[in-house]
Amino acid sequence: MNNKKSHLQLFLMFIVVFAILVILVQGNNYFGKDYFESNSFDSEAEQFAYNVARYEINPLTKEDFAEVLTVTKDDIAHYRTYYGSLAQQIQNIKDQYAEDINNAQDEDVLQALKSERDAKIEDVQKNFEDDAYVSEKIKALKEQVVNEILADNKRNHQAFFAENKQFAYELHDDKYDLTFKKNDVKAASVFKKTISNNDLGTHEESINLYEYEQIGFLDKTYTIEKDFSTITGSVTIPKSMLSKTHFGNDLRAFTITKYIYYSIIIAGIVSFILLVKVFNSRPETLFDRENSLRDVLNRLPMDIASVLVLFVVYLTLMLMSSMTHIGQSIGYYFQGENYFNVVENMINLAVVYGMFVLSVYIIVWTWARFKRFKSVEKLWENMFLSKLVKVCIELFENRSMGIQSLILLMVIFLGGFGFAVFVMSGTFEVFLFYMFLFVVFFIPALYIFLRRIGYLNRIMKHTDDMAHGRLTDNLKVKGKSPLAKHAENLNGLREGVRTSLNEQAKSERLKTELITNVSHDLRTPLTSIITYTDLLKNPDITEEERQKYIEILDAKSGRLKTLIEDLFEVSKMASGNIEISKQRIDLVQLLQQAVGEHEEEFATSNLDLRVAISEQPIYAYVDGQKWWRVIDNLIVNARKYSLEGTRVYVNLKVNNGNAELTVKNVAKYELNEDAGELIERFKRADTSRHTEGSGLGLAIAQSIVDLHGGQLDIAVDGDLFKVTVFVRAEK
């Protein structure tokens, strides 16, 4: 039911719109007027008066062609050299007669040909010698053309009055006080047109002798102006003449057409009332339906969809406007004219109605879609214009790239446009000019464009290789263009990726070593604990052995505890899950205490400890306990891994506002490791791991220094091992 209702509503809407278009397009010609009041007939009557003035009141005469018949020096020069110079013309004449003269068998024929040739040569020579002679020839040719124009005008005059016998007129030329009349304008008439001053205006006759089939005329246009502004009077159509003309038939066709249009308007009014009173439902309820066409429209950006809707609506209105002439066709059809084809017009109406239905649906669909946007921002995001603006902004983010791209596009566009102009003109001069522009501008621009595209393709190929892990050779950086800058950045990125891969491989290796070292360092004391625990279970051991085993278990347990505590501590520091309490500490005093605790151990280990400490206090805001751990770890590390009989140097001084602690020693073991790797957890210079320790000393020291915003550097020079710690000193 709703489907039938919507079709009926569409049909009524079509009638309403069609009636409105009839009013707009045809109303000025038909509504409230009869045939003789219509604009078309009024203009026809005025055109009749205009032609009467042109052909009878103020016709063209030979006197009007005075300027045309005047022979100027330019006319003479142009006529004289029309076929070239004197020598060229004489040679052309001789060439024309040469073959006939050579083939002539009869003497009389031969003499006639020579005489004719010589006469033409003499005429040409006289053209170049005597201006008056040439002037007379040109004037004769011009008079011939003028006579032809006047004869054509006279024939047009006769044909005009023969075709317009139905008119009566009485026209007066105020300028010359002359009256021209035909038939009785005072007799009963069906039409009367009054001509006032300036109604007919002026008439310009343009003449170009170059267009006539004569030789030697300049390509020049002459204008002959006739003033009809002083002509007044009236033009009528007597009733007695109506039946003898085509106007009677036109009058009846006009009347039928007018009533057809009145009927269409009445139908439009009735349809509008029905739409308002009966079909008062909102358009969305009848036409807001889902289908494939709507899906396509909804996928388009909002502004593109709107432009498409406007185009379809405009095309529909134009087609409907063209169909308003159907009333005239029907009117003349009933008067026996074959202007109306029923089948063709029914097909046209069906097409127009289909376009109207499509327009209604897409308008409703677009409006419903528009209302779904809750804000201007959402609407803007759904428009193609916003995407275009975004693309332009992105294009000019690199201004150089944007300007170069714009220039290249303009040159290519103008090159194509220039080719179109050349094809349309087809002249050799345009071809030469286009070839100049093509060679100087278009080819270099095209070469630059293609070279840039090729360079871009190479960059994309290298980028793809990098994305798939294929680190090929560096791109060649050409020039200073944005693409060259991009290639340079890509090369830097490639080096970064290569470094990252190396670091990743190194990290994986260190991770594997960390697991191995942790396993080894934890398993060694744990194995001893298990072994001596089993021995203690033996009831046959002596008390002395039992005491010995317990001492070993105690040492190994302490060792295991230390390892685990150090591991937890370095893990907490690495994760940042540790608090520090900074105070103003004298680093000199702290170092002296640490050195004092280990002096005896250094002596026992046959190591000569050399300490160089500033006599003045060196203060820094540090966590005293944590910083003690840094100093202790560095000193213990030096004691464990220094070669016996060597010296260990410990220095503390102020350098560029920083407290600088340096510990140097000669390593007991060969240092094959990267210096930076010695800071890694569980890394030792003793790769056989025979020494006591967790391998976490330097890692813990590094973490504590980082927490204080300081810096710990390690340097290896052969067997010389050096650790330097920096922290901001306070005055």
Side-chain angles (χ1 to χ4, degrees), residues 709-722:
Q711 181 179 345
L712 186 147
D713 293 333
I714 293 179
V716 175
D717 186 3
D719 290 333
L720 179 63
F721 182 77
K722 177 181 177 181

Side-chain angles (χ1 to χ4, degrees), residues 121-182:
I121 292 174
E122 184 181 354
D123 180 65
V124 170
Q125 289 174 334
K126 198 170 184 180
N127 285 342
F128 280 86
E129 295 170 356
D130 190 350
D131 288 351
Y133 178 73
V134 179
S135 178
E136 288 299 323
K137 291 172 69 175
I138 296 174
K139 188 173 182 180
L141 291 173
K142 286 189 174 184
E143 286 181 345
Q144 182 179 345
V145 174
V146 169
N147 290 333
E148 183 180 341
I149 293 173
L150 292 173
D152 288 341
N153 199 58
K154 186 176 181 180
R155 286 191 293 270
N156 293 334
H157 177 195
Q158 294 170 349
F160 168 73
F161 282 106
E163 294 173 359
N164 294 277
K165 294 179 180 180
Q166 69 276 16
F167 285 100
Y169 62 87
E170 184 174 329
L171 299 172
H172 183 77
D173 189 345
D174 297 338
K175 184 177 181 180
Y176 300 103
D177 195 20
L178 296 174
T179 300
F180 300 84
K181 58 189 300 185
K182 182 179 181 182

